[in-house]
């Protein structure tokens, strides 16, 4: 067998694996895991809104919350493995394109590659925490954000780099919110298989949850821009401090209540994706 034939055979095997039932199951399990994390972050944010304290409202806080439950370590292992499935599915999209007529566009494949990197990191952090490294998955997003910002600000042109990253994150947040409001997720879901009531629930959680998620991203990006302008790493905020900042608005804790409910709604929307997503 020559090299070209071997490469073609290997490519065919990889493509079949990407389209396999196992890959589909991994993707759907990943959506379930993502939903669990967002629902817990929403619950933790609600606690902050009503009590002003409590565990950090971010992925680390959600992981620590799970770890304290009966069979918590087992749940974390299952969560981490499910997120590995999500990461592998995103990798298959980057290599072979997404489902749908325009799924082979270079931009979509590049975005899938970025999501593969992100979910790989999240899966690694959850599995590391489950294995006993409490400083991995359960670390504060605020401290991580400030540490990364401080390091970047020390580079040549660091202010411009941090500022550009903040603008990119804020732009991504606005893009997420606008797409949610426009119901762009319809093309990724098997809407025809849903009953009318299910479709209404999916649209409510998709729009409300996606908008809230986008607002959080956009706000965090704004804080990164402020950190660049002020050359102050402490101005950069992770998810927890970003959520807490909503209590400092004229609406007080009630704005955080709305955002928290929105994040929980996005978790429910993720569960709907686990059932109806075109994979």
């Amino acid at each position: 067998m020559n090299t070209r034939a071997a490469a073609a055979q290997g490519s065919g095997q990889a493509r079949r694996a990407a389209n396999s039932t196992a890959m589909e199951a991994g993707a759907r399990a990943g959506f379930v895991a993502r939903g669990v994390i967002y629902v817990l972050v929403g619950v933790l944010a609600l606690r902050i809104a009503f009590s002003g304290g409590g565990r950090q409202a971010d992925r680390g806080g959600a992981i620590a919350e799970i770890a304290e439950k009966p069979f918590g370590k087992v749940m974390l292992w299952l969560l981490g493995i499910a997120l590995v499935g999500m990461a592998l599915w995103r990798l298959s999209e980057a290599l072979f394109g997404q489902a749908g007529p325009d799924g082979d566009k270079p931009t979509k494949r590049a975005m899938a590659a970025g999501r593969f990197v992100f979910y790989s990191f999240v899966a690694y952090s959850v599995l590391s925490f489950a294995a006993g490294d409490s400083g991995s998955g359960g670390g504060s997003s605020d401290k991580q954000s400030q540490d990364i910002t401080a390091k970047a600000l020390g580079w040549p042109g660091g202010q411009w780099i941090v500022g550009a990253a903040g603008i990119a994150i804020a732009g991504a947040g606005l893009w997420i919110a606008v797409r949610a409001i426009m119901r762009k997720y319809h093309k990724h879901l098997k809407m025809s298989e849903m009953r009318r009531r299910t479709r209404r629930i999916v649209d409510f959680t998709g729009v409300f949850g996606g908008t809230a998620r986008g607002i959080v991203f956009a706000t965090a990006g704004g804080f990164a821009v402020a950190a660049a302008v002020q050359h102050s790493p402490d101005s950069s905020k992770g998810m927890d401090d970003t959520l807490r900042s909503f209590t400092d608005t004229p609406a007080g804790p009630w704005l955080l209540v709305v955002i928290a409910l929105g994040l929980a709604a996005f978790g429910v929307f993720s569960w709907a994706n686990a059932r109806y997503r075109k994979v």
Side-chain angles (χ1 to χ4, degrees), residues 37 41 44 48 55-64 118 121-122 125 134-150 169 216-217 220 223-224 233-245 263:
I37 291 174
V41 170
L44 293 172
I48 292 171
R55 177 168 279 135
Q56 61 197 45
D58 54 18
R59 186 179 64 252
I63 292 172
F118 172 76
F121 171 77
V122 175
S125 65
S134 59
S136 179
S140 168
S141 62
D142 302 318
K143 186 177 186 306
Q144 291 171 359
S145 178
Q146 291 168 3
D147 288 346
I148 292 172
T149 301
I169 294 170
V216 173
F217 272 83
F223 283 125
D234 291 341
S235 297
S236 180
K237 299 182 185 296
M239 176 173 276
D240 179 64
D241 272 353
T242 298
L243 290 172
R244 292 175 190 269
S245 71
L263 294 177

Side-chain angles (χ1 to χ4, degrees), residues 23-37 78-87 89 119 270-271 273-274:
M23 185 66 73
E24 178 180 348
R28 298 194 188 284
F31 279 114
V32 172
R34 187 180 75 173
V36 170
I37 291 174
L78 293 174
L79 195 71
I81 292 169
L83 289 167
V84 169
M86 172 70 88
W89 174 58
Y119 283 111
S270 294
W271 293 337
N273 273 260

Side-chain angles (χ1 to χ4, degrees), residues 2 4 50 71 216 267:
N2 59 35
R4 183 176 298 178
F50 289 119
F71 306 104
V216 173

Side-chain angles (χ1 to χ4, degrees), residues 50-246:
F50 289 119
S51 68
R55 177 168 279 135
Q56 61 197 45
D58 54 18
R59 186 179 64 252
I63 292 172
E65 187 79 6
I66 294 172
E68 292 180 356
K69 304 301 180 187
F71 306 104
K73 287 298 176 99
V74 174
M75 294 170 64
L76 285 179
W77 279 109
L78 293 174
L79 195 71
I81 292 169
L83 289 167
V84 169
M86 172 70 88
L88 291 175
W89 174 58
R90 292 302 190 183
L91 176 61
S92 72
E93 287 190 325
L95 294 175
F96 305 113
Q98 301 178 13
D102 60 344
D104 203 41
K105 288 183 177 180
T107 53
K108 290 191 177 290
R109 294 174 74 162
M111 289 172 62
R115 287 167 176 150
F116 160 69
V117 173
F118 172 76
Y119 283 111
S120 295
F121 171 77
V122 175
Y124 171 78
S125 65
V126 173
L127 291 173
S128 295
F129 192 91
D133 184 3
S134 59
S136 179
S140 168
S141 62
D142 302 318
K143 186 177 186 306
Q144 291 171 359
S145 178
Q146 291 168 3
D147 288 346
I148 292 172
T149 301
K151 184 176 293 186
L153 286 174
W155 297 340
Q159 280 184 281
W160 289 102
I161 294 172
V162 173
I167 292 172
I169 294 170
L174 294 175
W175 180 77
I176 290 170
V178 169
R179 285 179 63 84
I181 293 170
M182 296 176 66
R183 294 174 169 82
K184 291 290 187 179
Y185 54 81
H186 276 193
K187 64 182 180 180
H188 297 298
L189 300 177
K190 302 173 183 176
M191 301 298 294
S192 61
E193 295 184 8
M194 300 179 193
R195 296 179 179 180
R196 181 177 297 180
R197 182 180 179 184
T198 302
R199 191 178 296 116
R200 288 175 180 171
I201 293 172
V202 168
D203 273 337
F204 174 76
T205 57
V207 174
F208 181 32
T211 303
R213 181 173 176 246
I215 289 172
V216 173
F217 272 83
T219 304
F223 283 125
V225 172
V229 172
Q230 300 167 10
H231 205 279
S232 171
D234 291 341
S235 297
S236 180
K237 299 182 185 296
M239 176 173 276
D240 179 64
D241 272 353
T242 298
L243 290 172
R244 292 175 190 269
S245 71
F246 290 118

